[in-house]
Amino acid sequence: NEGITIHAQNSKAIVPDKDGVPQEHYFDITYLPWRDLDGKVQGVLQFSFEVTETAKQRVKAEANEKKFRSIAQQAPIAMALLLGPSHIVEVANDRVLDLWAKSHSEVIGKPVLEIFPEIVAQGFDKLLSNVFTTGEPFVANEIPVTFMRRQGPEQIFVNLLYEPFRNEKNEIEGIVAVGFDVTEQVNARNKVAEAELKFRTIIEQTPSPLCIFKGEEMVLEVGNDAALAVWQVGSEVIGKRLVDIVPEMARQPFLELMMDVYHNGVTRYGYEAPAFFIRKDGTTDNHFFNFIYVPYRDVNENIVGVLILATDVTEQVHARKLLTENEERLRIATEILELGTWEYDPLIDGIHCSKKTLELFGFDARTTINPEKVLNTIIEEDRHRVIEAIQWALNPQSNGKFD
């Protein structure tokens, strides 16, 4: 009656097939007024075009998009759908909003590069463009991203996936972005690595031999220069077993002590412990060490090796032995030659002397003497000279000898 044209797209109709079974079909239909020569509407012209396959694909695509939205919202990881070459945010679940520190209204319908212009300088515009134009997914683990927050720039680390989003014709319409915030793990690992670096630096700078052996095989994990110098080897021995580095250790008690520490978690000490090394020329090199063996534990407090700190006291041991030998020689010589010996302690103004000295000065063996008593035994004309000689011997500028 009104003589207007009507278009109806994707009109559903139930049409029986050749076997009489009802089937869904979809048509694009146009209704046109049929006019006579006077322009009066006399009827209706209908043009129908079957679009069943296209409509079904569209319905399927809409269902898939609805399903995607549902999955994205329920996913335990950050997900977003970016449409078109401008990467407009179509879908953003709560996890990605938390990651972005944005609200739903701040991102939906807006290009992601306008929301976060700071990521352009970080190369994410090129990454998105490449995925959209080539269809090649982008995957990266622990990739750093810096966002401008209200309080300033913040760097986070994410495991990231950019996957092309295709329509029913397999054409790329956008990008599915999936991210997982691993900032805490990365920061924790970096702190462990930093602590490990500091620990290794301390080990390397320690002047005494210090090393770490791991596992049942006692494999050298860390060895500072002082330890390598004792063994007379280079850093190429890192990663080798102790018995391969210093085979003669198998014939000494140290390996057994290390295994006791490793298995039982005890700490072992050694004082002036003798050790020998077979050098490349076949000679035997004897040393003495003070050492401590302590359990080396991982972050879970499991014993994974043995930490060793040692001090080479060979020179001290030889020096003390030489002193003891010299003192014994002096004692024997004093007894044989019947020499008198004495010591003067200026701090207490006291004299310690042998029985022979008391005898030579005319004192009884049980007499307690002091400097005044001794000086009184010297004739007066020599006494002044003796006092001056003693005072000069006590002077720091002298050689310390009383003559």
Side-chain angles (χ1 to χ4, degrees):
N1 293 331
E2 297 180 3
I4 61 175
T5 300
I6 298 176
H7 300 283
Q9 293 183 328
N10 298 316
S11 296
K12 184 170 73 170
I14 305 299
V15 180
D17 61 14
K18 62 181 180 180
D19 297 322
V21 179
Q23 300 290 338
E24 282 188 357
H25 288 259
Y26 293 85
F27 298 90
D28 284 348
I29 303 173
T30 300
Y31 296 98
L32 298 173
W34 178 37
R35 302 175 185 274
D36 60 18
L37 295 176
D38 296 326
K40 294 181 179 180
V41 177
Q42 299 296 325
V44 176
L45 295 175
Q46 174 184 323
F47 299 92
S48 299
F49 301 93
E50 185 171 4
V51 292
T52 301
E53 289 301 318
T54 302
K56 286 183 176 180
Q57 289 177 357
R58 184 180 298 108
V59 169
K60 184 178 179 181
E62 290 173 353
N64 287 340
E65 183 175 339
K66 184 177 180 180
K67 185 177 181 181
F68 172 80
R69 289 175 182 271
S70 176
I71 292 173
Q73 193 56 46
Q74 298 178 47
I77 57 177
M79 290 185 69
L81 175 60
L82 313 176
L83 292 183
S86 298
H87 317 301
I88 295 172
V89 179
E90 176 73 13
V91 178
N93 70 357
D94 292 342
R95 265 63 60 190
V96 81
L97 294 176
D98 291 340
L99 186 69
W100 290 344
K102 297 288 186 181
S103 67
H104 191 268
S105 61
E106 288 178 300
V107 299
I108 297 300
K110 299 177 182 179
V112 71
L113 298 178
E114 290 183 11
I115 302 170
F116 304 105
E118 63 270 23
I119 69 174
V120 174
Q122 301 172 57
F124 287 91
D125 58 331
K126 294 182 176 61
L127 294 178
L128 291 167
S129 177
N130 185 68
V131 174
F132 186 80
T133 55
T134 68
E136 296 180 2
F138 172 78
V139 182
N141 291 324
E142 299 180 1
I143 186 170
V145 189
T146 300
F147 289 110
M148 292 301 300
R149 310 298 195 193
R150 290 186 178 89
Q151 66 275 20
E154 179 189 12
Q155 185 183 65
I156 64 172
F157 295 87
V158 292
N159 292 343
L160 185 63
L161 168 65
Y162 288 159
E163 183 80 22
F165 181 75
R166 300 176 184 272
N167 60 20
E168 66 277 5
K169 297 179 181 179
N170 203 35
E171 298 168 337
I172 297 176
E173 286 191 346
I175 295 172
V176 177
V178 179
F180 187 77
D181 189 349
V182 292
T183 305
E184 289 188 8
Q185 298 92 308
V186 172
N187 289 341
R189 189 176 65 250
N190 288 342
K191 287 181 180 179
V192 171
E194 182 180 353
E196 180 75 12
L197 178 60
K198 290 180 180 178
F199 178 63
R200 288 178 179 267
T201 301
I202 292 172
I203 289 178
E204 292 171 358
Q205 295 179 352
T206 301
S208 298
L210 197 157
C211 46
I212 297 173
F213 291 92
K214 281 192 172 181
E216 287 277 354
E217 297 293 321
M218 290 298 154
V219 174
L220 181 63
E221 175 82 5
V222 179
N224 66 358
D225 291 342
L228 300 179
V230 169
W231 300 329
Q232 294 189 1
V233 296
S235 59
E236 70 278 358
V237 299
I238 302 296
K240 294 184 179 180
R241 300 185 307 164
L242 174 61
V243 293
D244 294 327
I245 301 170
V246 192
E248 55 270 26
M249 285 293 107
R251 293 181 279 152
Q252 300 179 67
F254 305 105
L255 190 57
E256 184 178 347
L257 289 174
M258 293 169 66
M259 297 306 295
D260 183 30
V261 174
Y262 179 72
H263 287 295
N264 301 315
V266 296
T267 299
R268 291 298 186 186
Y269 301 88
Y271 301 96
E272 298 182 358
F276 67 87
F277 301 93
I278 307 300
R279 302 307 186 190
K280 294 179 181 179
D281 60 1
T283 60
T284 300
D285 194 3
N286 294 295
H287 285 256
F288 294 87
F289 293 94
N290 293 342
F291 65 79
I292 178 172
Y293 292 174
V294 297
Y296 184 68
R297 303 176 185 272
D298 61 16
V299 293
N300 297 317
E301 289 299 312
N302 298 316
I303 298 174
V304 294
V306 178
L307 185 148
I308 298 174
L309 176 62
T311 303
D312 191 338
V313 293
T314 305
E315 290 187 4
Q316 295 92 308
V317 171
H318 288 165
R320 189 177 66 253
K321 182 180 179 182
L322 180 60
L323 178 61
T324 302
E325 291 175 351
N326 288 338
E327 289 177 345
E328 181 63 17
R329 291 192 189 102
L330 178 60
R331 185 189 65 79
I332 294 173
T334 300
E335 291 180 357
I336 293 175
L337 300 175
E338 296 186 343
L339 298 175
T341 61
W342 60 276
E343 298 176 8
Y344 171 61
D345 188 345
L347 296 178
I348 61 172
D349 195 30
I351 292 180
H352 308 281
C353 57
S354 65
K355 291 181 179 180
K356 189 62 178 179
T357 300
L358 292 173
E359 182 183 337
L360 292 174
F361 278 86
F363 294 109
D364 184 86
R366 292 170 293 178
T367 302
T368 300
I369 64 172
N370 56 40
E372 183 180 358
K373 287 183 178 182
V374 174
L375 290 174
N376 287 336
T377 64
I378 302 173
I379 62 175
E380 190 171 348
E381 62 185 49
D382 290 335
R383 192 177 302 156
H384 182 69
R385 179 174 56 81
V386 172
I387 292 174
E388 287 183 346
I390 293 175
Q391 290 176 342
W392 173 246
L394 296 174
N395 192 317
Q397 296 180 353
S398 72
N399 58 10
K401 293 183 179 179
F402 171 70
D403 191 357

